Every structure is written in structure tokens, then in C-alpha cells.
Amino acid sequence: SPGVLVRTGHTVLTWGITLVLFLHDTELRQWEEQGELLLPLTFLFLVLGSLLLYLAVSLMDPGYVNTQPQPQEPKEEQTAMVPQGIALRRCRYCLVLQPLRARHCRDCRRCVRRYDHHCPWMENCVGERNHPLFVAYLALQLVVLLWGLYLAWSGLQFFQPWGLWLRSRGLLFATFLLLSFFSLVAGLLLASHLYLVASNTTTWEFISSHRIAYLRQRPSNPFNRGLTRNLAHFFCGWPSGSWETLWAEEEVEEGSSQAV
């Protein structure tokens, strides 16, 4: 399946780059030859940790909406939690009642709670359940990439003739370029997602706010509760509560301010 191919490719590429760094005359190999194993083992543990986080994010349930058969008319308890002005939407693809902030993913063929995006590198959606792990993966992966970039640079000795240098360091130089590209991508992704987390929004909401009913009605993000509470809710689930409740609280606060 595509998911197996993508995950296998990621695993092979990760260990292949690590092997290149060990085989060439980088500081990693020098530490190993000198018997200083602390830093090489630390690097290996970080690589393994990033790989395990990648597999966890790509294999876990991102927050799929329950697909059990549902009545055509919403139950009273379902509509009671939805604030006035926001009607329950029934997905036109899988016919489930979508909670606030959920969206259907055509690749996964399921509706995902607090949908952020579908990641082709993960072959999985990033949603309510795995988004915190995704951010943690980006952070750890960036550390590994930057360290690997430094190690690759340490092995690029430019005092040899060009032809000899290319034969002996060509693969390491290609690895350096690959690590540079991946570091740039991971850094930009991490920065963008930290910004989204800090403002309690998602990639989908940020890009398509003009198309989303519960955002078009508000001049600002109704889920933003300030940096500290946004981070606490994202990483720790505190304060708890549904998105419908947060939306309704914001509506009440706006109504009170307008009344004053």
C-alpha cells in the first residue's frame, strides 16, 4: 500500500543518511574511533526517537469522527451542544454529523476532528489526536537534521584536488545538500505550526477561513484564549471542553461587550 511504501522509504532514508555520516571522516566517526561514545550514542538515540515519533504520528488515529450509522435528523442532545447560528453539518461523503472544526479528508476517506491537513510524508491526517505528537516530531527531527548537517560539514575537507575530492566526498556532499533542504523544510513547518498552536487555529482554518461558516461570522478567531491557555489546551488538554463550548463562550463575551 502507499502508506507502507512511504514509511519504508522514510526509514531507509533515515538510516541511510546516518550510515553515510558514520562511514565518512566526520566528527561522528572520529568520536567513535577515539572511544568517545557518548555523543555518537546520543545521536543514534535521537535518530531512533525521531523515527519512532514519525511512525506513531503516521500510524495512529488522528481523531476520526465516529462512522456508526446516525439518524437523518440530529438528536436533541446533539443539537443542544451546538451554539445558535451554527447548524450541524452532515458530511456529503461519509454522511456523519461533523463536530465543529471537523473536515472530511478525501485521502483517508474519513472525517477528522480538528482537521489540520493531510500529510503525504506521513500518509496520514494531522488532527486532534496526533497534532501534538506531530509538532514534537518536527522539533526533534529539526534537532537531528541540524546536528547531521553539522556532522556532514565537518567531513567536507576542501584541500584535495577537485576530482579526488568528488570521488571521496561526493556522497557526503550530496548528503549535506539533502540535509540542508530537509532542515529548511522542517524549520519552516515547525515555525508555522508553533504559530498556529499559539493562536489556536489550524492550517485548514488559516488558509480557508473565508469558506468556513463558523469563522466567517467572526471578525477574529473564536477559539483563541491567549498564548498560555492555547498551549496548555493543545499539549495538555487543559482547560477541557468542546470546541462548541468555546465558540459559544466567545459569542457570549462578544454580545456582552457590544451591550456595554
Side-chain angles (χ1 to χ4, degrees):
S1 66
V4 174
L5 291 176
V6 169
R7 295 176 191 111
T8 303
H10 181 277
T11 303
V12 171
L13 181 62
T14 298
W15 289 118
I17 291 176
T18 304
L19 186 61
V20 169
L21 295 176
F22 268 101
L23 291 179
H24 285 79
D25 189 24
T26 63
E27 286 191 4
L28 196 63
R29 184 175 178 179
Q30 294 170 13
W31 293 331
E32 181 188 7
E33 292 175 347
Q34 295 169 6
E36 301 175 0
L37 300 181
L38 178 60
L39 289 176
L41 287 176
T42 302
F43 181 74
L44 284 177
F45 278 124
L46 289 177
V47 171
L48 181 60
S50 69
L51 187 58
L52 292 177
L53 270 177
Y54 166 83
L55 292 175
V57 175
S58 64
L59 292 173
M60 73 182 297
D61 176 358
Y64 292 128
V65 178
N66 186 11
T67 56
Q68 292 180 355
Q70 296 174 314
Q72 291 298 316
E73 294 299 328
K75 294 181 180 180
E76 183 178 349
E77 58 268 22
Q78 288 176 310
T79 57
M81 71 176 186
V82 180
Q84 295 181 356
I86 292 295
L88 281 171
R89 293 182 67 254
R90 186 175 293 278
C91 176
R92 60 179 177 174
Y93 299 103
C94 54
L95 302 180
V96 300
L97 293 173
Q98 290 182 335
L100 211 60
R101 310 189 82 178
R103 183 174 185 262
H104 184 86
C105 174
R106 296 186 183 182
D107 295 286
C108 296
R109 299 179 182 178
R110 297 282 298 274
C111 285
V112 180
R113 295 178 181 273
R114 197 184 177 276
Y115 175 87
D116 188 86
H117 71 287
H118 182 88
C119 181
W121 187 241
M122 297 281 180
E123 195 57 33
N124 194 15
C125 276
V126 175
E128 189 170 70
R129 291 193 61 194
N130 64 352
H131 199 176
L133 278 182
F134 179 75
V135 174
Y137 161 73
L138 288 177
L140 182 57
Q141 186 68 74
L142 183 59
V143 171
V144 171
L145 288 169
L146 291 176
W147 195 354
L149 191 64
Y150 166 76
L151 292 172
W153 177 259
S154 70
L156 294 176
Q157 302 171 8
F158 297 99
F159 55 82
Q160 295 175 316
W162 173 251
L164 180 60
W165 181 87
L166 194 59
R167 286 193 297 272
S168 62
R169 310 288 176 180
L171 182 58
L172 186 61
F173 182 64
T175 301
F176 174 80
L177 295 178
L178 194 63
L179 288 171
S180 300
F181 173 74
F182 286 152
S183 297
L184 178 63
V185 173
L188 291 176
L189 279 174
L190 179 60
S192 63
H193 277 274
L194 288 177
Y195 169 78
L196 294 173
V197 170
S199 57
N200 200 350
T201 189
T202 66
T203 301
W204 164 245
E205 291 172 342
F206 182 80
I207 295 175
S208 305
S209 58
H210 61 286
R211 298 170 52 190
I212 302 175
Y214 59 83
L215 295 180
R216 285 202 310 263
Q217 302 177 15
R218 298 295 179 81
S220 59
N221 179 14
F223 306 109
N224 189 356
R225 288 295 181 270
L227 177 61
T228 303
R229 295 185 67 183
N230 289 342
L231 293 176
H233 189 274
F234 181 80
F235 289 107
C236 307
W238 181 90
S240 59
S242 67
W243 301 120
E244 289 82 3
T245 302
L246 286 176
W247 197 96
E249 289 177 355
E250 179 70 14
E251 187 177 39
V252 171
E253 290 176 4
E254 285 188 1
S256 300
S257 61
Q258 291 175 0
V260 174

